Amino acid sequence: MPLTAGTRLGLYEILAPIGAGGMGEVYRARDPKLKRDVAIKVLPTTYASDEERLRRFEQEAQAAGALNHPNITAVYELGSHDGSPYIVTELLEGETLRGRLAGGALPVRKATDYAIQTAKGLAAAHEKGIVHRDLKPENLFVTNDGRVKILDFGLAKLTQADGAGPQTNLPTAAGTEPGVVMGTLGYMSPEQVKGKTADARSDIFSFGAILHEMLSGSRAFHRDTAAETMSAILREEPPDLSATNKNVQPGLERVVRHCLEKSPEERFHSAHDLAFDLESLSGTSSSAIAARPPAASRFRPLPLLAGALAAAALLAGGYFVGKSKGISEPPSFKQLTYRKGAIWGARFGSDGKTILTTAAWDGKPAEIYVSRPDSPESRPFGIPGADLAAVSSSGEVAVFLGADFHTAFTRPGTLARVSATGGAPRALLENIDYADWSPDGKELAVVRIEKGKRRIEFPPGKVLYETTGWIGNPRVSPDGRRIAFLDHGAINDDGGSVAVVDLSGKKTRISPVYGTASGLAWSPDGREVWYTAAEAGSNRILHSATLSGKTRTLARVAGSLTLQDVTRDGRVLISHDTGQIGVIARGAGAEAKEVDLSWLDWSLMADISDDGRFVVFTEAGEGGGKGYSIYLRALDGSPAVRLGEGSAQSISRDGKQVLAFVGSPEAPEIAIYPTGAGEAKKLPAGGLALRAARWLPDGRHFLAVGAEKGHELRTYAFDVEGGAPRPVTPEGYRGIQISPDGKRLVGRGPKGATFVYAIEGGEPKEVPGIEATWALVGWLPDGRLLLRKGGSTELPARVYALDPETGREELWREFLPADATGLNGLIAFKSAPNGAYAYSVFRTLSILYLVEGVR
């Protein structure tokens, strides 16, 4: 029976009904203790009759309640009323994504924004082991300020007696109109349709179906009957997005296709990787994205970018917008740092001429340096390992001692004060994240960690604001009456908004919520707050906001900016952060050493020749051009030779031919480039969508992983003289790592298991002792397999040799380049029979600029 206004559920007073559906009724209610309105979902009494089912629901709902992420609906409490369980959540104002889709496809920018937010929410849940299992537009809510919230974590599992089975009993809206069941069924993954257990990869498939619908305006797998819809999910591909929306760039379509792979193993490995790819696409051209590696860990000031080589030139002619509609006179830029490394923070000295910078230069540990704009030189401040916090008007410097520079976003330490002329620091407070001086230089505003929460104290001990998220870049206003800061909702994400809190503790949000925000300072006149942020993606731009919440754009340039400081006379410190991928290789022999063979901005390793003398790589960034470029380079460091357009795959064992893909992965051509004199040759792909390829020893045949439309991936053999490709493995089994004798290959099968196959035929043989998360690197001449454990950011990287017959393993090599400057991860390992090897390094670098003329 529906609840009436005034009914109490625990301490909550029902105010009005919001809606009803197959999962129960939803009400608006009042929390008298905290004086806020909440939403209460009352579940049917039938769920309470199965104690085991209800127990599992409570466990999962409690786990969901422990999540603290801006893109997941907050769960406050579980309870029971007249035998019916209920769940109390935050009250949202807005509409579901289904409502937004009623008018058809969304603009690409808006769809990408919603997708990034959803992927970040999924990543946070999956990290806690929580899988949604029923992701669909009805379970995504878009608030009035554009924030996406994932609804009903935990409720999907309640509908099943166990973890398996399709969820065809779940309606997607109130009522029984035709197609209601299809709303859920159309977003199920193939493994759910087959009655198998749903995991995080199932959520990624559902996500792909939703993103496809946002971009096309129609459901990816909707058919007239349930049976036809299930068949489409299992066997068919959704219509090409380019056929329905010409504004969808190829890189974005590839992301959708990757989400919708029939085999879970072929989808994105994590929602973090998915969010990374989407952010990259939203911030750069599609030509610089498709061949990028899985996402590395995201460090606080260092978003991952392409276009490193062009960034400085574009900065010098930056596009600035003044307060009027016209463009103001361009400001001047002066480069202040020239060393290679990452910048963690910078401030003007009290004299307005000295500059203090926390940086990790040339692979050395981070420390504070002192410099002047009129000189490119800098000197250490004299406190090794310290992190700059703030500089007072009286000349004192606040620093952090014992800060951990390997953490994401925050690095708490012991706050200390020291004279600008040097000397021993005096410790003040422990567990402090950020700090800033008052205008008179007598007091410090601090962000303190206390019992898992962050709080602003000014002066220390007086709490003005507290949050379970994190607080970034607090700055005291020139009049000392307010503190501006970045308010981040989740501890593992840098999305957030600009807020101001006064001395009475009244907090006001003065900006939209951004996908990334880092860097903040008051404007010279104190009437605005200047900050660097981006609505989506990672390319932050310079904004301003008045205390009434009116925002405008101050600077938009290629790449990502981080605001460091602003003086009273209007000079600005800004760092520009870029990401690069390079190649490191080592030849055979005990005397050989690693050499850096990086060429342009995004040198992604493809293969190393059997004699260990040459590497082949793809330039997949701005330097490589729209279709990417393939380069051959000798380990002696001589200049790289461009072979042609495309994505490099393999170099033949005699070193004379390079195999490559040209064009879209869904409809590629196969190119064969000679490494010396000769003409390039192109072959048709036989109607296959191709993923990877590798030469067989004879140089006349090669293997490629691909799939016919509507089928799962498998390995095919190709003849360079032409003819139809020959299937080598059953559907669902794929791999191209070929044994030294050319008779076997190793690859993946169902559920991520590793198998060895005979290329000329036979049954796949499973290899014991290999986990699905380990990366296959190749073979050793003695028949052992090379595998990498751990993710791409684990340093040093460790590669193991494993006997495929026994599963016995031992450490083969550890990898850590001599130049660890800005290092974020190591990827794409390749080895030669003689022990030579090569891999790609992923690093982020920063340059500090002095900018004058910002208005």
Side-chain angles (χ1 to χ4, degrees):
M1 178 180 295
L3 301 177
T4 58
T7 303
R8 287 194 172 272
L9 274 68
L11 62 88
Y12 304 99
E13 179 184 353
I14 298 297
L15 299 179
I18 295 176
M23 291 300 294
E25 294 103 19
V26 184
Y27 297 90
R28 187 186 192 104
R30 183 68 175 171
D31 179 348
K33 187 175 181 181
L34 296 179
K35 301 187 183 303
R36 64 181 177 186
D37 286 357
V38 298
I40 296 182
K41 177 171 284 191
V42 182
L43 305 176
T45 55
T46 52
Y47 292 127
S49 61
D50 188 331
E51 293 184 1
E52 176 62 20
R53 207 173 178 192
L54 185 59
R55 182 187 66 81
R56 289 201 312 271
F57 160 67
E58 290 177 344
Q59 287 179 342
E60 188 147 335
Q62 287 165 358
L67 291 171
N68 177 27
H69 193 275
N71 299 119
I72 297 176
T73 307
V75 175
Y76 298 145
E77 186 178 335
L78 294 171
S80 179
H81 174 74
D82 292 341
S84 296
Y86 65 81
I87 184 169
V88 183
T89 69
E90 65 176 310
L91 182 67
L92 304 175
E93 302 288 348
E95 63 179 335
T96 66
L97 180 59
R98 173 62 65 207
R100 290 287 176 98
L101 290 172
L106 302 180
V108 172
R109 182 189 63 80
K110 186 64 68 177
T112 305
D113 177 24
Y114 292 168
I116 291 169
Q117 294 188 56
T118 304
K120 287 183 176 181
L122 285 177
H126 292 168
E127 281 184 352
K128 300 290 187 180
I130 302 172
V131 182
H132 194 286
R133 299 179 180 84
D134 191 29
L135 204 64
K136 55 189 176 183
E138 289 78 6
N139 281 335
L140 296 178
F141 196 93
V142 184
T143 64
N144 289 336
D145 64 356
R147 172 71 68 180
V148 174
K149 296 277 188 174
I150 305 176
L151 308 176
D152 288 353
F153 267 108
L155 294 185
K157 191 171 185 178
L158 179 62
T159 67
Q160 304 175 43
D162 53 38
Q167 295 163 292
T168 55
N169 59 316
L170 288 178
T172 62
T176 58
E177 67 272 15
V180 164
V181 171
M182 308 304 294
T184 292
L185 186 58
Y187 304 97
M188 289 164 52
S189 65
E191 55 269 27
Q192 288 176 289
V193 171
K194 294 176 182 178
K196 297 180 179 180
T197 301
D199 61 15
R201 295 168 300 181
S202 294
D203 281 352
I204 288 176
F205 185 94
S206 302
F207 172 96
I210 295 169
L211 180 52
H212 188 283
E213 186 171 344
M214 285 196 287
L215 295 168
S216 68
S218 59
R219 304 189 191 189
F221 300 105
H222 179 69
R223 301 295 186 270
D224 292 336
T225 67
E228 290 174 328
T229 298
M230 295 171 73
S231 178
I233 291 172
L234 292 173
R235 298 178 180 86
E236 299 177 20
E237 298 293 333
D240 291 341
L241 287 169
S242 56
T244 57
N245 189 339
K246 294 182 180 180
N247 294 322
V248 176
Q249 56 186 338
L252 184 56
E253 181 156 13
R254 281 192 289 268
V255 168
V256 175
R257 294 286 180 186
H258 196 25
C259 292
L260 295 177
E261 294 284 1
K262 304 301 182 185
S263 170
E265 291 79 16
E266 296 303 320
R267 296 175 205 147
F268 282 94
H269 290 182
S270 72
H272 273 303
D273 289 354
L274 174 56
F276 170 79
D277 272 17
L278 286 168
E279 285 187 323
S280 298
L281 283 167
S282 69
T284 60
S285 66
S286 62
S287 65
I289 297 302
R292 293 190 180 182
S297 292
R298 191 178 184 190
F299 297 99
R300 177 175 59 176
L302 307 176
L304 311 177
L305 308 171
L309 298 178
L314 286 173
L315 268 173
Y319 168 43
F320 274 69
V321 179
K323 293 183 179 181
S324 65
K325 293 183 179 180
I327 299 176
S328 62
E329 183 178 347
S332 63
F333 284 78
K334 181 178 178 60
Q335 185 172 339
L336 299 179
T337 58
Y338 296 88
R339 298 170 69 179
K340 189 177 179 183
I343 292 172
W344 297 90
R347 290 287 184 98
F348 287 102
S350 57
D351 60 2
K353 298 178 182 179
T354 305
I355 295 171
L356 289 84
T357 306
T358 301
W361 295 132
D362 306 319
K364 297 178 181 179
E367 65 174 301
I368 302 172
Y369 293 86
V370 181
S371 63
R372 295 177 66 88
D374 56 4
S375 172
E377 304 299 327
S378 63
R379 62 173 177 82
F381 184 59
I383 311 176
D387 184 14
L388 175 67
V391 180
S392 76
S393 57
S394 60
E396 280 198 288
V397 181
V399 300
F400 292 111
L401 307 177
D404 184 357
F405 288 92
H406 294 92
T407 57
F409 309 128
T410 67
R411 49 182 191 273
T414 298
L415 182 66
R417 61 194 300 172
V418 64
S419 169
T421 59
R426 180 165 65 88
L428 299 176
L429 299 167
E430 295 183 341
N431 295 323
I432 304 298
D433 252 353
Y434 289 87
D436 190 44
W437 291 99
S438 60
D440 59 9
K442 296 181 179 180
E443 296 285 356
L444 280 162
V446 300
V447 176
R448 189 196 300 265
I449 304 175
E450 188 74 26
K451 296 181 180 180
K453 295 183 178 181
R454 263 79 172 173
R455 63 194 197 190
I456 296 177
E457 298 179 8
F458 183 57
K462 181 183 177 181
V463 179
L464 300 182
Y465 175 67
E466 186 176 70
T467 177
T468 55
W470 64 281
I471 296 166
N473 308 112
R475 301 297 290 263
V476 182
S477 62
D479 61 9
R481 296 167 55 188
R482 299 176 180 85
I483 298 173
F485 61 97
L486 292 171
D487 195 14
H488 301 277
I491 199 66
N492 62 346
D493 189 271
D494 67 348
S497 58
V498 180
V500 173
V501 61
D502 63 21
L503 300 187
S504 69
K506 180 182 178 181
K507 177 220 167 186
T508 305
R509 180 162 70 89
I510 63 172
S511 83
V513 178
Y514 295 95
T516 174
S518 180
L520 177 148
W522 287 89
S523 64
D525 60 10
R527 297 179 181 178
E528 295 179 314
V529 177
W530 291 2
Y531 58 97
T532 37
E535 293 182 3
S538 56
N539 290 341
R540 292 188 295 267
I541 64 177
L542 184 61
H543 302 269
S544 73
T546 65
L547 296 182
S548 62
K550 183 179 180 180
T551 63
R552 62 190 178 97
T553 298
L554 294 177
R556 184 193 305 272
V557 301
S560 184
L561 301 178
T562 304
L563 177 63
Q564 303 291 348
D565 203 7
V566 179
T567 63
R568 291 291 182 89
D569 61 6
R571 289 173 297 134
V572 178
L573 284 180
I574 284 181
S575 61
H576 183 268
D577 310 306
T578 62
Q580 295 179 335
I581 289 182
V583 172
I584 301 293
R586 176 180 170 175
E591 302 301 318
K593 296 182 179 180
E594 287 192 343
V595 292
D596 189 338
L597 299 179
S598 307
W599 191 240
L600 302 180
D601 60 329
W602 212 259
S603 306
L604 186 60
M605 258 302 300
D607 205 1
I608 186 170
S609 62
D610 267 26
D611 59 10
R613 296 174 55 212
F614 296 91
V615 293
V616 177
F617 54 89
T618 302
E619 281 294 343
E622 293 293 326
K626 184 176 181 180
Y628 312 136
S629 294
I630 300 167
Y631 283 87
L632 177 77
R633 194 172 190 190
L635 268 67
D636 63 10
S638 55
V641 177
R642 186 180 186 274
L643 301 181
E645 179 183 341
S647 176
Q649 300 297 311
S650 174
I651 185 170
S652 60
R653 291 199 173 178
D654 62 8
K656 295 182 179 180
Q657 302 177 96
V658 170
L659 191 64
F661 295 157
V662 179
S664 165
E666 302 304 323
E669 283 187 298
I670 301 167
I672 300 173
Y673 293 107
T675 57
E679 296 292 328
K681 180 179 181 179
K682 290 189 177 180
L683 302 174
L688 301 174
L690 298 180
R691 297 291 182 270
R694 195 166 188 84
W695 284 107
L696 284 165
D698 62 11
R700 294 182 291 106
H701 300 84
F702 59 89
L703 300 181
V705 171
E708 296 179 89
K709 189 171 184 179
H711 292 265
E712 295 186 68
L713 289 171
R714 65 196 305 180
T715 300
Y716 292 84
F718 285 77
D719 189 320
V720 297
E721 299 302 325
R726 173 179 63 86
V728 172
T729 66
E731 281 195 44
Y733 295 81
R734 68 269 176 223
I736 54 167
Q737 298 290 356
I738 302 168
S739 63
D741 61 10
K743 296 181 179 180
R744 295 171 296 163
L745 64 89
V746 64
R748 302 292 193 191
K751 298 182 179 179
T754 301
F755 290 83
V756 171
Y757 326 94
I759 293 176
E760 294 304 320
E763 291 297 319
K765 182 179 180 181
E766 186 169 358
V767 181
I770 300 179
E771 297 181 11
T773 56
W774 297 0
L776 299 172
V777 175
W779 296 74
L780 288 174
D782 62 10
R784 289 184 297 167
L785 299 173
L786 290 178
L787 303 109
R788 181 185 180 178
K789 298 182 181 181
S792 62
T793 60
E794 183 176 297
L795 300 173
R798 295 179 175 87
V799 175
Y800 291 80
L802 180 142
D803 188 326
E805 299 295 330
T806 66
R808 182 177 177 274
E809 66 178 58
E810 64 180 11
L811 181 65
W812 183 61
R813 276 195 176 95
E814 286 190 346
F815 297 88
L816 186 65
D819 180 7
T821 308
L823 195 63
N824 284 349
L826 308 180
I827 54 177
F829 287 86
K830 303 294 178 182
S831 66
N834 61 9
Y837 62 79
Y839 58 91
S840 277
V841 295
F842 187 24
R843 66 178 84 241
T844 313
L845 306 174
S846 305
I847 298 174
L848 186 66
Y849 288 88
L850 173 65
V851 187
E852 296 184 277
V854 180
R855 297 176 178 85

